[in-house]
Amino acid sequence: MFLQNINGHTASPEGHNPITLIGFKASATKMQTLPSPGESFTCSGPCYDRAKEAKEFEETKAGVKGLVDSGVAKVPRLFIHPPQNLRDLSSDTDGAATGLEVPVIDMMGCEDCRRKDVVNDLRRALETWGFFRIINHGIPVDAMERMLETVKQFHEQPEGVKREWYSRDDAKKFRYYSNGDLFWSKAATWKDTLFFDFPSGGLEPEAVPVLCREPVFEYEKHIEKLKRSLSELLSEALGLDSGYLGEIECMESKTMVGHYYPICPEPELTLGTINHSDAAFLTLLLQNHHGGLQFRHKDQWVDVSPVPGAILANIGDLMQLVSNDKFKSAEHRVLARQAGPRVSVACFLFPRGTRKSKPYGPIEELLDEDNPPLYRETSFPEYFGYYLSSGNGMNGEAVLPHFRVSEPK
Ligand code: OGA
Ligand code: NI
C-alpha cells in the first residue's frame, strides 16, 4: 500500500521520491521481452538493464495501457515476475468449488434492530478472514458505477491528454502514473493508477481533471458516511464503546486509487498487483465485472469475484496491530488476465498526518495477563516508512512481523 498510494501508490512519508530524478527517452515497444527458450532468465543473452528499461517505460508516460495499445504481443522483461511470485496463478480456487464463501455483512438495520447481529457477523469475518463483502451499505449503485466508469474513461483517453497528469510528485493531490514502485520493485505489475489524496482540509476540485471531478467527490461523500458507520461497528466488534476507534482518530485520512488493469498477452508471466497486505487501517474496494482479485485464506488463494453493488472491505496491518491480532490483515493480489480491462477503486483509511502522527499500539482495553501486547507502538508514518523503505510491502513479504515484541501464547 501507500508508496504511490497507501499501497504501492504515494511517495514516501519523508517525501523522498527517487522517481522524479529520472529522465530518459525511448519507445516502449523496443523493450526486451521474455528470453527465448534455453536463454537464462537471469542474464545470459543480451544483458538486461532493468533500470534503463524502467526509465524508458516511465518516459513514455503512457503506462501499461500504452504498451498494450502499441500492440505488444509479449510481456516486456521489466514486468516478468520471478517464479515465487507466480505460484498458484490459475484461478481454480473458485469459492463455490472449495466451499469457501467470502463473508457477507448486510448492513440493513445495523443502526437499530439488527445491530447485534451485524456486529457479531463482523467480528467473525475479521477474526477468520480479515475481509468481507458489504451489502446494503448505503452507497447508491449509480455513484459506484460512475466512479468506476470515470476511472476507465480517464485511462482510455488519448495519450496526449493523459500524459499531462503523469507524475510522481507527492505534493500533487491528483496524479496518474504506472507502478508507484517502478524504480525499486523487483518486477513491475500490469496496471496503471490514478491517485487522489484527500488531506484533512479536503481535496480542491481544481486539482482533479474535470472528467473525474463530479463522480469522485460524489463517491467520496458516500464513503465518508460509510466510514463513520464502520468505525462504530468495528469498535463494537472489538468489544469497545462504539466511539472508540473514532476517538483515537485512526481513520481520519484517506487516499483513493483508481487502478486500470489492461488485458495482458501473457498473464502467466506477470501480476496485476503483487501479493501484499494493506498498511493502513481499513480499505474499501470497488471493482468492475472483470475478476482477478484473490485473497489468501487458509493457505490458499480464493477468487473474490465481483458482486454488483457490493463493496469489499479489508483491514490493514495497523488494524491488526491495534487489535493485538484479534483481527487479521488479509493478504491479497490481483492476477493479470487476457480478459479486461479490470477497473478498481481502493479507498485507504489511515490516521491524519503522513509526516507526523501519534503512536498506535495494541489497545489497552484488549490486553490482560493472558493477552500481552504483541506489538510495539508505532506511528503510521513510521510503519509506512518501513513498509516502503524495506521494499517489503510490495515485494511479497509481510511487514507487520518486524513490529512484533512477543509471540501469542
Ligand atoms: C491495492 C489493491 C486491489 C484491486 O491497491 O492495495 O489491493 O483490486 N488493489 O485493485
Ligand atoms: Ni491492497
Side-chain angles (χ1 to χ4, degrees):
M1 229 214 351
F2 247 56
L3 349 202
Q4 282 296 315
N5 68 25
I6 229 169
N7 260 13
H9 326 279
T10 210
S12 75
E14 284 74 39
H16 171 64
N17 195 342
I19 287 150
T20 47
L21 305 175
I22 310 299
F24 245 75
K25 186 93 193 152
S27 144
T29 48
K30 278 199 315 212
M31 297 166 72
Q32 291 178 26
T33 54
L34 183 66
S36 50
E39 192 181 344
S40 145
F41 184 84
T42 40
C43 196
S44 60
C47 209
Y48 170 60
D49 184 344
R50 189 192 183 283
K52 183 164 169 280
E53 296 241 328
K55 285 172 191 169
E56 288 175 354
F57 171 69
E58 175 73 353
E59 187 62 20
T60 68
K61 298 188 178 179
V64 176
K65 171 85 168 71
L67 281 178
V68 173
D69 288 347
S70 72
V72 287
K74 291 193 163 295
V75 166
R77 181 75 170 262
L78 181 62
F79 295 87
I80 296 177
H81 280 249
Q84 70 266 26
N85 292 2
L86 300 169
R87 256 174 298 171
D88 323 315
L89 270 197
S90 69
S91 358
D92 55 1
T93 50
D94 180 67
T98 56
L100 291 171
E101 291 293 342
V102 175
V104 175
I105 303 295
D106 182 352
M107 286 182 72
M108 183 71 84
C110 74
E111 293 301 328
D112 36 64
C113 58
R114 288 194 57 253
R115 187 154 192 102
K116 233 173 133 192
D117 292 343
V118 176
V119 168
N120 285 335
D121 290 350
L122 198 52
R123 180 184 308 114
R124 264 193 301 272
L126 290 179
E127 283 173 353
T128 51
W129 291 74
F131 66 100
F132 53 94
R133 244 194 260 285
I134 322 177
I135 57 168
N136 293 315
H137 40 63
I139 305 186
V141 174
D142 188 47
M144 294 163 61
E145 277 171 2
R146 288 201 299 147
M147 183 65 214
L148 286 169
E149 185 55 29
T150 200
V151 169
K152 182 165 184 283
Q153 280 175 2
F154 182 93
H155 287 285
E156 292 181 352
Q157 291 178 107
E159 280 174 17
V161 179
K162 269 193 314 191
R163 71 195 332 259
E164 301 298 314
W165 297 95
Y166 198 94
S167 175
R168 294 181 192 269
D169 177 359
D170 67 341
K172 293 196 171 146
K173 302 296 171 210
F174 170 84
R175 49 193 187 270
Y176 147 65
Y177 53 83
S178 184
N179 281 268
D181 53 355
L182 181 68
F183 295 99
W184 59 85
S185 66
K186 290 184 184 134
T189 52
W190 204 254
K191 70 164 174 301
D192 302 327
T193 300
L194 298 189
F195 176 85
F196 304 88
D197 189 4
F198 291 88
S200 39
L203 176 62
E204 311 82 31
E206 300 72 42
V208 177
V210 178
L211 174 72
C212 306
R213 230 173 255 174
E214 211 262 295
V216 167
F217 287 101
E218 171 75 5
Y219 181 67
E220 191 265 338
K221 194 180 73 192
H222 292 296
I223 282 283
E224 195 53 33
K225 221 166 133 204
L226 176 60
K227 178 190 93 176
R228 281 196 290 272
S229 305
L230 286 174
S231 167
E232 293 184 0
L233 292 167
L234 287 166
S235 301
E236 290 175 41
L238 282 169
L240 305 165
D241 291 343
S242 61
Y244 197 99
L245 293 176
E247 272 155 35
I248 66 169
E249 300 177 320
C250 58
M251 294 190 275
E252 293 297 293
S253 296
K254 71 175 146 325
T255 55
M256 255 172 8
V257 289
H259 297 307
Y260 185 94
Y261 300 86
I263 53 165
C264 180
E266 295 179 307
E268 64 286 0
L269 298 179
T270 188
L271 283 163
T273 298
I274 192 174
N275 56 308
H276 67 284
S277 59
D278 295 344
F281 270 83
L282 184 68
T283 305
L284 299 172
L285 186 90
L286 202 57
Q287 51 174 336
N288 75 349
H289 57 285
H290 288 290
L293 177 65
Q294 297 187 321
F295 271 77
R296 192 110 181 124
H297 180 65
K298 295 199 164 132
D299 277 340
Q300 59 182 319
W301 288 107
V302 179
D303 288 335
V304 181
S305 41
V307 170
I311 296 244
L312 201 76
N314 65 275
I315 64 154
D317 291 350
L318 273 214
M319 181 70 98
Q320 178 168 339
L321 185 146
V322 300
S323 76
N324 210 35
D325 274 1
K326 194 165 159 58
F327 292 168
K328 299 284 187 314
S329 160
E331 189 183 354
H332 52 286
R333 69 180 183 184
V334 180
L335 305 182
R337 303 184 105 187
Q338 245 149 6
R342 170 186 172 78
V343 179
S344 68
V345 175
C347 181
F348 303 109
L349 301 168
F350 55 97
R352 204 193 303 272
T354 49
R355 285 183 167 74
K356 211 162 166 251
S357 151
K358 59 182 175 187
Y360 288 90
I363 291 172
E364 266 179 37
E365 286 80 345
L366 304 177
L367 307 177
D368 56 34
E369 252 177 52
D370 295 328
N371 296 289
L374 301 175
Y375 299 98
R376 69 170 176 86
E377 276 195 345
T378 180
S379 66
F380 185 69
E382 186 202 11
Y383 188 81
F384 192 55
Y386 186 77
Y387 188 101
L388 297 186
S389 68
S390 62
N392 288 340
M394 298 306 284
N395 265 332
E397 283 169 45
V399 174
L400 198 52
H402 292 271
F403 290 77
R404 253 190 197 281
V405 287
S406 62
E407 290 308 313
K409 279 191 178 171

